[in-house]
Amino acid sequence: MRKNLLLLGMSCLLTAGVASRAAVAAPAVTLQQAPDGKELIGRWDITVDEDGKQLPSWLEVKLSGFRTLVGYFVGTSGSARPVAKVNFDKGKFSFTIPPQWESGSQDFVIEGTVANETITGTITTSEGKKYSYKGVRAPMLVREKAPKWGKSENLFNGKDLTGWKPTGKVNQWVVKDGVLTSPKSGSNLVSEKTFNDFKLHVEFRYQQGSNSGVYLRGRYETQIEDSPKGAHPSSVLFSGIYGFLAPSEINALGPNQWQSYDITLIGRMVTLVVNGKTVISNQEIPGITGGALDSDEGAPGPIYFQGDHGPIEFRKVVITPAL
């Protein structure tokens, strides 16, 4: 009898222990199956209405662990900025980011609603101004087959600005001795032709302390900057895809030297060869970079040169489009 009671007691204790462990484990299983805010997870191409001007922006939301939403945000200026936490409740979301290059001291506040594969809401800037926005899911841009390349074309004829247009009211771009030159900060320069996938060869020269960039499809900036050769590679320094992809090294020759970029863009995948050395090899560009012309990532776009950050020169611009 005493032995039977002892066995019964042990059985009850074991059963209680199993039940207790199951109760602890159960919430994790539930969270794995149904993370709150799953409809917001992904990449979004955003258009912001700033007093009638339609300006591009971008958002990526990810799941960290079982229940915390985090992300990256590209505003209408600046680089991609990390979002430590995205708050989500019943289809509504919000998050804050500190100012970067903008004036004003308060944090940006982004609020919105997700429904029917779109997001809508408002952005309150570091200056306290409020603008509305709308976003759609960004396309994957996956190419099922390797491209077949067409005929190479000189986008710069070495004589004048035929095939190009400045973005600002005042144009500072000139052609001198066969060189496309922006002698001072001013307008950016955009090609009249647009492209999907391509190989691009550009030769350029910058002055000490200057800064420029080559925009692919008008949306993804390949940074040109007077970065020290010994600098730690960064996405915002020489040959970085601005704010997203860092080169393997800073293979710059320095100011007042002619240098080259050979860029292959297929879908979102980019390869960058700098002065004959590959520094980015078939890496994905997640989204638009600051300074993009628009956020319509599925559409073809132009090549454009940044001219609002200091003097820059180009002497050769050759593109080979995919057929």
Side-chain angles (χ1 to χ4, degrees):
M1 180 68 175
R2 186 176 299 168
K3 184 177 179 180
N4 290 338
L5 289 173
L6 179 60
L7 290 173
L8 180 61
M10 292 177 64
S11 176
C12 291
L13 286 172
L14 287 171
T15 302
V18 171
S20 176
R21 288 194 296 272
V24 172
V29 173
T30 301
L31 288 168
Q32 281 182 291
Q33 291 174 344
D36 195 23
K38 63 181 179 180
E39 61 267 44
L40 183 62
I41 294 172
R43 295 169 176 169
W44 301 88
D45 286 340
I46 296 171
T47 301
V48 183
D49 186 342
E50 289 193 4
D51 298 327
K53 294 182 179 180
Q54 304 302 300
L55 301 179
S57 183
W58 178 87
L59 171 67
E60 181 174 25
V61 178
K62 300 179 178 182
L63 183 64
S64 177
F66 293 144
R67 57 185 175 184
T68 303
L69 297 178
V70 299
Y72 273 88
F73 181 76
V74 176
T76 56
S77 65
S79 64
R81 310 177 209 189
V83 179
K85 184 179 181 181
V86 179
N87 304 302
F88 188 90
D89 183 40
K90 297 178 181 178
K92 296 185 180 299
F93 65 91
S94 66
F95 60 89
T96 63
I97 54 171
Q100 192 179 60
W101 306 110
E102 303 89 357
S103 58
S105 57
Q106 67 186 48
D107 285 352
F108 281 73
V109 179
I110 294 86
E111 299 173 298
T113 301
V114 56
N116 301 320
E117 294 295 288
T118 62
I119 56 175
T120 55
T122 60
I123 297 175
T124 304
T125 72
S126 56
E127 297 177 307
K129 298 178 181 179
K130 182 176 284 190
Y131 303 114
S132 63
Y133 71 83
K134 181 177 181 179
V136 297
R137 286 203 179 273
M140 296 289 289
L141 301 183
V142 174
R143 307 305 193 223
E144 299 296 338
K145 297 180 181 179
K148 293 182 179 180
W149 300 108
K151 185 178 179 180
S152 297
E153 175 185 354
N154 288 306
L155 288 183
F156 169 52
N157 63 15
K159 301 176 182 179
D160 53 36
L161 296 180
T162 298
W164 298 85
K165 54 186 178 183
T167 59
K169 294 180 180 180
V170 178
N171 172 42
Q172 83 284 358
W173 291 87
V174 295
V175 178
K176 184 178 180 181
D177 299 326
V179 176
L180 179 60
T181 303
S182 175
K184 60 182 180 179
S185 296
S187 294
N188 301 319
L189 194 66
V190 181
S191 70
E192 292 179 351
K193 289 188 176 181
T194 60
F195 307 92
N196 277 311
D197 298 344
F198 55 81
K199 295 189 289 187
L200 177 68
H201 174 82
V202 294
E203 296 177 11
F204 58 89
R205 180 169 63 182
Y206 53 81
Q207 297 180 15
Q208 185 174 7
S210 195
N211 181 306
S212 182
V214 179
Y215 278 78
L216 315 175
R217 297 194 199 113
R219 302 181 189 105
Y220 316 115
E221 181 188 9
T222 308
Q223 174 77 308
I224 295 175
E225 192 208 46
D226 184 17
S227 304
K229 187 173 177 62
H232 190 281
S234 167
S235 63
V236 298
L237 296 182
F238 183 87
S239 68
I241 304 299
Y242 193 72
F244 282 124
L245 302 179
S248 58
E249 63 179 274
I250 304 293
N251 195 40
L253 302 180
N256 304 311
Q257 302 291 322
W258 283 108
Q259 308 188 56
S260 67
Y261 281 170
D262 286 280
I263 306 168
T264 302
L265 182 65
I266 303 172
R268 292 187 179 279
M269 309 306 290
V270 65
T271 294
L272 173 58
V273 179
V274 178
N275 299 319
K277 188 167 189 176
T278 301
V279 298
I280 295 176
S281 179
N282 200 37
Q283 296 296 301
E284 184 192 41
I285 305 176
I288 66 168
T289 62
L293 296 177
D294 61 50
S295 58
D296 187 6
E297 292 190 87
I303 304 301
Y304 103 67
F305 299 140
Q306 189 176 52
D308 59 358
H309 278 48
I312 185 68
E313 297 173 298
F314 294 90
R315 69 177 181 185
K316 198 169 186 180
V317 186
V318 180
I319 196 163
T320 306
L323 296 175

